[in-house]
Amino acid sequence: MKKFKISVIIIFLSIFSHAQEYPTIENNNHKIIAKVSLSSFAFPDVFNLYYGILSAGVEKRIRKNTSFSLQAGYVLNYGESNGLYRISANSVHGFNTNLEYRKYFGKYSNDGIIPLLVFPFWFQGKTQQNEMSGLYYGVHLHGQNLNISRSNNDINTYLVNRKSVATHVKLGYQSINKSNIVLDQGMGIGIRYISSNSKNKLGNSNDFEFPYRKPLDKGDKLFFSWTYHLNIGFAFK
């Protein structure tokens, strides 16, 4: 599964890179962009649980250099989860949503040190110059609901419901090549609230989420949070 996920991302980035070979820069405003998330599919939770999210959505221009986006995702179960930093689980199912308000700066160059440090920036060359491309900042809202099936030291199998909400301030760069293919990535920091409870659990064992040090099976807590996204899409006029 890991090789498959990596292969999918490489194929998408290669397609984008090929379309960038002879980029054109032009004033060409788009009104809506359809996107799918590569980062959610590959690694939505690096440390704790083994799952992916099939997430898609749209970004719509609402006024000059300003947009609003909505993405919804379905959690894909990747099988049993355990190993380094991972919490044991039989299966993971659920859904998530992302809302984002963006303001574009009207700056279209991604020269500098950041493209050298962040691999996908290598594929973001020149871009069409319009009101939904280039450097931007955003305010991001995230919500997720997970149903996690777990086993308690062979005593019994039980269900954990885990809810998470978060908000972030983000900085990102969106490029639109000559074929109207979009590559969008951004990073942000903020706060996250996680609440969980278990049903039909026997025994007192607990596993703690990394790096929050919160029991997965119970309780609630507010944390510092960071986020990263990598989306690919198509821009429509």
Side-chain angles (χ1 to χ4, degrees), residues 75-99:
V75 172
L76 303 172
N77 180 45
Y78 286 163
E80 292 188 9
S81 169
N82 52 47
L84 183 63
Y85 294 121
R86 294 201 181 277
I87 294 175
S88 63
N90 302 323
S91 64
V92 182
H93 298 280
F95 61 89
N96 77 345
T97 57
N98 292 279
L99 305 175

Side-chain angles (χ1 to χ4, degrees), residues 50-62:
Y50 187 45
Y51 66 93
I53 301 174
L54 185 61
S55 180
V58 295
E59 177 184 1
K60 188 179 187 308
R61 177 186 178 275
I62 54 178

Side-chain angles (χ1 to χ4, degrees), residues 28-195:
N28 185 12
N29 284 324
H30 298 90
K31 295 181 179 180
I32 193 165
I33 299 174
K35 301 178 184 180
V36 295
S37 173
L38 299 182
S39 51
S40 294
F41 175 73
F43 44 84
D45 190 338
V46 177
F47 299 108
N48 295 302
L49 295 167
Y50 187 45
Y51 66 93
I53 301 174
L54 185 61
S55 180
V58 295
E59 177 184 1
K60 188 179 187 308
R61 177 186 178 275
I62 54 178
R63 57 179 176 268
K64 184 176 175 60
N65 294 328
T66 307
S67 71
F68 179 80
S69 65
L70 167 65
Q71 281 192 333
Y74 175 75
V75 172
L76 303 172
N77 180 45
Y78 286 163
E80 292 188 9
S81 169
N82 52 47
L84 183 63
Y85 294 121
R86 294 201 181 277
I87 294 175
S88 63
N90 302 323
S91 64
V92 182
H93 298 280
F95 61 89
N96 77 345
T97 57
N98 292 279
L99 305 175
E100 189 170 330
Y101 169 88
R102 289 186 180 181
K103 182 69 175 179
Y104 289 86
F105 293 103
K107 296 183 180 296
Y108 305 102
S109 173
N110 66 351
D111 296 334
I113 191 170
I114 292 179
L116 299 177
L117 298 177
V118 184
F119 167 71
F121 267 119
W122 298 354
F123 295 87
Q124 290 182 277
K126 295 180 180 179
T127 178
Q128 294 185 37
Q129 295 183 3
N130 61 44
E131 295 181 7
M132 289 201 296
S133 65
L135 189 68
Y136 65 85
Y137 75 88
V139 178
H140 168 241
L141 297 176
H142 166 81
Q144 184 182 74
N145 185 81
L146 296 179
N147 290 311
I148 307 163
S149 173
R150 307 193 65 204
S151 296
N152 187 13
N153 297 324
D154 296 325
I155 298 175
N156 76 314
T157 298
Y158 62 97
L159 187 68
V160 177
N161 179 250
R162 178 184 182 274
K163 293 180 173 64
S164 172
V165 292
T167 182
H168 304 96
V169 177
K170 300 172 74 173
L171 185 67
Y173 188 88
Q174 179 158 278
S175 52
I176 306 174
N177 68 17
K178 65 178 183 178
S179 301
N180 294 323
I181 297 176
V182 177
L183 188 61
D184 166 35
Q185 66 172 327
M187 305 175 188
I189 57 173
I191 56 174
R192 183 181 303 272
Y193 175 77
I194 300 176
S195 174

Side-chain angles (χ1 to χ4, degrees), residues 160-163 194-198 214-219:
V160 177
N161 179 250
R162 178 184 182 274
K163 293 180 173 64
I194 300 176
S195 174
S196 57
N197 60 81
S198 59
K214 175 198 166 299
L216 176 70
D217 293 352
K218 64 181 181 179

